[in-house]
Amino acid sequence: MMIKCVPLGAGQDVGKSCVIVTVGGKNVMFDCGMHMGFQDERRYPDFSFISKTGNYTQAIDCVIVTHFHLDHIGALPYFTEICGYEGPIYMTYPTKALAPLMLEDYRKVMVDRKGEQEQFSVLQIHQCMKRVTAIDLRQTIKVDADLEIRAYYAGHVLGAAMFYVKAGDDTVVYTGDYNMTPDRHLGAAQIDRLEPDLLITESTYATTVRDSKRARERDFLKAVHTCVAAGGKVLIPVFALGRAQELCILLDEYWERTNLKVPIYFSAGLTMQANVYYKLLISWTNQKVKDTYVTRNTFDFKHVTPFERSQIDAPGPCVLFATPGMLSGGLSLEVFKHWAPSDANMIILPGFCVAGTVGSKLMSGKPTKIDIDKRTQLDVRCQVQHLSFSAHTDAKGILDLVKHVAPRNVVLVHGEKLKMVLLKNKIATDLGIPCYDPANLETVEVESRCLVKMGISKQLLKAPVNQSIIQQATAVLPSAAEMAKEMNPVALPDAQRQLQTVHQGQQLPHVRAGVPVEGVLIMEDSSRIKLIHPSEVESVLGVASHGMSFSCMCPMYLAYLELLSVRTEEATTALEPMTSSAILHLIYLHLVESFGEGILEEKEESIQGKSIHIRVSPETSSHNLAVAKGYHLQGTDIDGGGIPALVLACDWHLEDDALANRAISILQMLKLKLS
Amino acid sequence: MKLTALSCQEHLEEDPVLSCHLLEICQTRVLLECPLDLSVLAIFLPSFQSKRKSHTDVMSASLSFLKENSGQVLIEGEPWYKTAELGLVEVALLDAVVVSNPLGLLGLPFLTKNPDFSAKIYMTEATAKIGQLMMEELVNMHAEFIQVHGRSRDGQLPSWLNVSTLDTLPAILRDSIVGRSLAGRSNWHLLYNKADIRDCMAMVHRLHYGEEANIDGCLKIKPSSSGLGIGASNWTISGARRSVAYIAGSLVTANSVKAFDFPALEGSQILLFGDVEFADESSTISPVGAPTLSSERGGNRGSGEVSGALRPDTTASDVRPQVAAVCKAAVETVRRGGSVLIPSSPFPILLELLDEMAVQLASVNLTDIPMKYISPAAEEMLAYGNTVPEWLCPSRQEKLYAGEPLFGYVDLVREEHLCGFKALHSADLQTVWQEPCIIFASHWSLRMGPAVHLLHRWRHNPLCLLILIEQSLDVELILAPFKPLAIQVLELPVQSRLSPKEVISVIQKVQPQLTLVPEFLLHKKLEATESNHLLSYRTGCTVRVPHFENQLEVQMSAELALQVQPKPVKPSKVAAALLHADLWSRDGIWSLQPASMAKCSGDLLPGLQSFQYRWGQVNVTALLTALKDRGLFDIHIQETASEEVGNEHFTTGDLKLEVETAVVEIRSPSQAWIEIRPNSSHIKADDPSLRHLIAAAVHSVLNSL
């Protein structure tokens, strides 16, 4: 079956992440974000793509939100409360707890400060969140009978998760945003080798390979310290949750260590409130924070105090964390307008800035004038620092993740177009995995594994173990061992050990890897497909099997036997006195020499093994021996019209044809050796 | 599949024992729980009373370690700890240990100390956290005994455990030590230390509810909430051919933690009840005061309505009736000016008790009554309780979303009405000490820890109240060292297992094909259900669980499926195809991939390829045509109407039947014969290539896949 993947947002772009995946007949929406760079209808994903009639509940089987950033969840209240989606929504506990804060903050900024028309109300945010099912990490949730989802730790922000979706036999992993290195309050992303049919990964830093985190932190602290020491003010625009906590921990610890008294402010309310949540959600942080929360909760900051709007123009140095990030509006933009004109001050942009925001304008080059909006232009004299503190993985991390998860196909989203192409090529060539970077509303189709499920008989499942012992013991092992000996003398004991373990586990159906089996596949009219052991065919199909067997005569001349007796130490008595059973024994020894022990055995005047029987033909009389000896002494027994000392009668069943032919050819080979 | 009960209740009247089972399923050996029987600690003298003269020595000098008090004989010395019958477990062969709740973890370090131990250990994250706290608490409190008695030498049995001494002990004491056979001696161990706990916990795989773990690719196990306490779980254990739902200590009644998860267990073939209440339903809340002790019953009844009326939200709350009763009794006592001692452990209900106590105190305006939790685990447990939203019931999860503390006690801690202290002698505790107060203290066995000292302090005060909340304690024995007592004693055991009635309802909901229950339950309680689907087990015995006929399944890769071309088979309406493939097994799932061996080493395995299944009869005319097609023309047919077969040794003796045989003789390029019988053909030819040519011809006129 085909798996379809359409980004409604974040296709060759960052912002309004929203990817629709059709997998195993189910439609799953990953993330439902908004674009921070747009103020018009382009800020939301184009939901009309999903359903022309607007019946989204029917069209989408479930919505999965990876984390609480607005570009991943911003459009959710709009989608549920205004577009009317009523189906299931899943997110992790922290995301469910923190998302309303983010949404409410955004709503306030838009409505109160920008005077825009309200997109959704407080009530609608709460109604929306009520529909959400919170899930725990690694917990397998059954959305319905054929649809399973599971969250993995993604590290990006508190509660960020990657999602594994299994519909029928088809599997998809959607990473959301993730970070492959642990930071001060979060761990690194963790996921299993899931080998999904499709991996959809973010690619924010598709080409960047970042230096060590320690160096970045040192730069950050140095810049802040230098600025405040000179009496300047430092503005750090952040989102209330995520980097804000990380940088607060960093600064708080530094202030403690260096005994600095310069105030650190946090733009009121939200972040203080956020810290309460962080304390409840300790189990989602990293090990170090978890280990110390009893004695000292990392989120109780000593040096951080709330900020009042009246303090904007207060004299003296300070550090201010102001929301929102990217200087997209609100307090951070307001403070920026006040502080930017002074060259003593500093703006630190700690993360990625979406195109269209003031933050991204600051980052491109070194502008001295910035257009805040159509009417306002601002002189920028302050220092502008950009420090990559985004908790996104870098290019190496993305490649590591792809390698680790081992998908059959990769789709890149959430990145910049040109950089994504480079990464796409790298994945395709270096890892050999087909990779796509669809633009918004562009469909990617990949093929899934299409496993066929069928019944299997117990007899067949038990067979491979027994069968493999026999096969390895007969043909495979000696030759394989010979090969191994030539190539690598150490490998031999390994092969033998393997054989032994198979022996020990004879009754165990724990077949681990690639054991050859032979079965018969039966398809009845409408019922299931079943695989049975060949020996069961008779009863299942109701037919009588037709056996095939062979026999042949194999003359043994005295010359052969002499050859054998010379080579076989114990037969130094040569051929005197000679009985047919003594000759048979000689032949047996010869065969064992090339077959190894355990396959053929001497029994009742014959050599037997599986269905093979080698006997002295009744036509051979003891008289033959004497006559043959006469010819032999003349040297004419083989080509001079002489008679063989005895004739071996061999017979066997078709199943053992190969083995029998090999035995006979060994005997006939003697002739060649003579000449 | 086999189940060996290493410890379970044998009879209704017997003291309950924590459950412990060995499950052998799909060639994997899984130990279910590894608990300690801490109720037998009661046979030892409390640490602080040792080496005092207040007890009379009993009997001879050789039994000088026995002390008598109030008619009970107790052992003076460092206590040892009793595990289940782990002697029946071959430690080296164990593949996994599954622990459902902190109580099932307490004995695990004894197992992991064994150098042969290599099994994987699974439990929920919360169980690991609380369990570790409880083990450390135990080691901390046990240190009191070491202070008094000195450290026992390794490898030396205490005198009371010697075979010779055992016979001379009072029968009751001997029974609690070794049970009915002397084999029980090996279940006693000297307590582990902190390093052992650390080593043990380092081996633990920590899971979330609903997280699947894999044991050696053979078994999948998954915990689901059992409703007993934070992180307490039941398990589904499934292999390729079996699936078991294992019910450990569970509660189906609503409380503060995630409710018993029925859907997770549905679809399991076998339901295994590990831990079941033996008491009747009716006795769950009834306080059973010993006749010599004053009972709280009367006082309770009067105040019941008052506090009930003050809490109009009772019906909507998640508080269990037993918890409410405990708190009610405590509040009554402090109102009278007495202090309350509740010996308790961090699991399962401590946090709920704290919460409810705060509510009830507030409802009667007694918020200035200090509450204290004194245990080596106190501070961590209090802090931990506020970080576990994932493990709690929906109404408490709502508190997370609202940004409120998960438990009400957190506010009390902030306001310093509730404090946690590591030990009674903490300097901080001395400064804030104030009576009356409500104290939660460890250990509930009343043999060590702060609870012992507090009971000793208050035992003569008739205003004070001791509330025993653990199940099925031998109250007489437990209180013996403290006698005479004036303090009031209230027994309010809080349910921690399913009752027989609930067992039946679980069976009805999960609908398994077979249910495994402890033996006593089968005889007494489950007559109502269809007993033909019940199997019972008892300690020390192994139960074999019969196989079910079930369809085994294998997955075939699309690549292989395309290679298969089934042909219709004439007599029956089916299509069939011969299949060569590689069989893989991963995580208990079998799959078929295109054969790799046959391709790369084709000559090495000719047998595998040439085996073709054939059926039908050889039509001689068709065979002649087939032979001619292969360039064999010099053919003679000898129709033999009947011939006695059996002289060929490969048709075994019992086949000496009269059968139709046709012989086809080929004279060039060399001589060969084909003997055709209804269900077999035999080819005689000395030239191998001719032999194969003829075989191919015969094969072509038969039906094959």
Side-chain angles (χ1 to χ4, degrees), chain A residues 385-503:
Chain A
Q385 289 260 357
H386 177 245
L387 286 164
S388 168
F389 267 102
S390 286
H392 289 276
T393 184
D394 63 359
K396 188 176 166 298
I398 297 172
L399 285 173
D400 285 348
L401 182 98
V402 173
K403 246 184 274 179
H404 175 73
V405 174
R408 285 154 51 92
N409 298 282
V410 176
V411 164
L412 301 178
V413 294
H414 199 285
E416 287 159 281
K417 190 176 175 182
L418 296 175
K419 294 177 179 174
M420 286 167 86
V421 174
L422 294 173
L423 182 65
K424 180 176 89 168
N425 294 337
K426 204 168 167 60
I427 290 172
T429 53
D430 291 9
L431 304 181
I433 302 171
C435 186
Y436 310 87
D437 59 339
N440 285 345
L441 305 181
E442 191 184 309
T443 307
V444 169
E445 284 201 341
V446 299
E447 218 168 301
S448 73
R449 269 187 195 78
C450 272
L451 293 172
V452 183
K453 282 193 180 161
M454 56 187 72
I456 185 165
S457 74
K458 271 178 203 165
Q459 205 176 341
L460 184 60
L461 272 181
K462 282 179 182 163
V465 181
N466 304 331
Q467 207 176 23
S468 70
I469 292 166
I470 296 161
Q471 272 156 11
Q472 292 191 357
T474 56
V476 183
L477 194 75
S479 10
E482 275 159 34
M483 271 159 51
K485 226 185 246 170
E486 279 163 28
M487 294 186 315
N488 179 3
V490 193
L492 181 64
D494 270 347
Q496 279 171 347
R497 205 172 308 133
Q498 233 167 22
L499 181 70
Q500 278 169 358
T501 50
V502 173
H503 267 289

Side-chain angles (χ1 to χ4, degrees), chain B residues 236-455:
Chain B
T236 48
I237 303 171
S238 57
R241 296 159 67 172
R242 293 277 195 180
S243 59
V244 178
Y246 163 54
I247 315 276
S250 302
L251 275 185
V252 287
T253 44
N255 60 78
S256 64
V257 298
K258 243 194 184 145
F260 190 102
D261 187 354
F262 282 104
L265 306 177
E266 276 162 19
S268 298
Q269 295 169 340
I270 299 162
L271 195 55
L272 163 61
F273 285 93
D275 220 358
V276 180
E277 178 113 17
F278 68 95
D280 284 323
E281 293 258 271
S282 53
S283 67
T284 41
I285 325 180
S286 65
V288 219
T292 50
L293 312 167
S294 60
S295 166
E296 261 292 306
R297 255 186 207 169
N300 255 346
R301 214 171 279 147
S303 63
E305 285 102 57
V306 179
S307 55
L310 283 169
R311 292 178 62 251
D313 59 336
T314 320
T315 45
S317 84
D318 49 30
V319 179
R320 300 181 228 181
Q322 296 104 319
V323 171
V326 169
C327 296
K328 212 177 288 171
V331 170
E332 278 306 304
T333 306
V334 292
R335 275 175 115 179
R336 284 199 312 263
S339 294
V340 181
L341 173 63
I342 306 175
S344 49
S345 83
F347 183 88
I349 57 151
L350 176 80
L351 300 183
E352 254 175 84
L353 272 176
L354 292 174
D355 229 23
E356 175 65 9
M357 198 69 87
V359 172
Q360 295 213 4
L361 283 176
S363 70
V364 292
N365 288 323
L366 281 173
T367 42
D368 53 335
I369 296 288
M371 287 209 290
K372 301 203 169 17
Y373 176 31
I374 310 170
S375 150
E379 285 159 313
E380 264 198 83
M381 193 58 209
L382 292 179
Y384 181 68
N386 200 30
T387 64
V388 289
E390 302 88 350
W391 310 95
L392 301 181
C393 66
S395 65
R396 295 212 181 247
Q397 287 182 354
E398 282 305 320
K399 298 194 173 192
L400 162 70
Y401 305 135
E404 292 167 12
L406 303 172
F407 285 93
Y409 75 79
V410 178
D411 291 330
L412 295 186
V413 173
R414 197 179 319 119
E415 294 154 14
E416 297 188 345
H417 290 309
L418 169 65
C419 307
F421 294 98
K422 275 202 171 355
L424 212 48
H425 50 75
S426 315
D428 299 342
L429 180 58
Q430 310 295 335
T431 57
V432 297
W433 188 261
Q434 168 194 336
E435 287 183 35
C437 54
I438 297 173
I439 307 286
F440 297 85
S442 52
H443 185 267
W444 56 265
S445 65
L446 290 179
R447 288 300 177 264
M448 54 188 176
V452 178
H453 302 275
L454 288 170
L455 179 56

Side-chain angles (χ1 to χ4, degrees), chain A residues 279-346:
Chain A
K279 285 184 217 167
L280 294 176
L281 294 164
I282 286 286
S283 60
W284 296 74
T285 59
N286 66 18
Q287 200 56 45
K288 193 177 161 236
V289 177
K290 277 189 231 176
D291 289 343
T292 56
Y293 75 91
V294 177
T295 43
R296 182 179 173 271
N297 197 314
T298 315
F299 300 103
D300 285 327
F301 302 116
K302 277 191 186 157
H303 303 270
V304 182
T305 45
F307 183 75
E308 298 300 326
R309 197 168 288 270
S310 57
Q311 291 170 300
I312 292 182
D313 291 319
C318 68
V319 180
L320 171 64
F321 290 94
T323 55
M326 308 184 192
L327 291 174
S328 59
L331 181 71
S332 64
L333 188 60
E334 195 181 334
V335 173
F336 174 71
K337 288 181 202 163
H338 284 83
W339 293 3
S342 163
D343 53 10
N345 296 342
M346 180 185 265

Side-chain angles (χ1 to χ4, degrees), chain A residues 93 140 277 284 452 454 511-512 515 517-519 521 523-524 544 546-547 549 551-553 613 651 654 657 661, chain B residues 210 390 397 400-401 554 556 575-577 579-581 583 585 614-615 649 679 681-686 691-692:
Chain A
Y93 284 99
T140 306
Y277 285 93
W284 296 74
V452 183
M454 56 187 72
V511 186
R512 292 290 153 77
V515 179
V517 291
E518 183 188 55
L521 186 131
M523 286 173 74
E524 273 176 60
H546 189 102
S549 52
S551 61
C552 78
M553 297 296 172
H613 287 250
D651 43 65
L654 178 64
D657 193 43
N661 282 325
Chain B
E390 302 88 350
Q397 287 182 354
L400 162 70
Y401 305 135
V554 66
M556 185 187 277
L579 179 78
H580 295 289
L583 184 66
S585 165
R614 302 155 309 280
W615 68 93
H649 72 271
N679 281 327
S681 9
H682 184 72
I683 297 159
K684 285 186 191 169
D686 292 345
R691 215 157 50 216
H692 285 138

Side-chain angles (χ1 to χ4, degrees), chain A residues 356-358 361 369-378:
Chain A
T357 56
V358 175
K361 288 175 197 162
K369 288 197 189 304
I370 289 268
D371 296 324
I372 302 291
D373 51 45
K374 288 190 183 90
R375 285 158 293 160
T376 334
Q377 203 181 39
L378 189 72

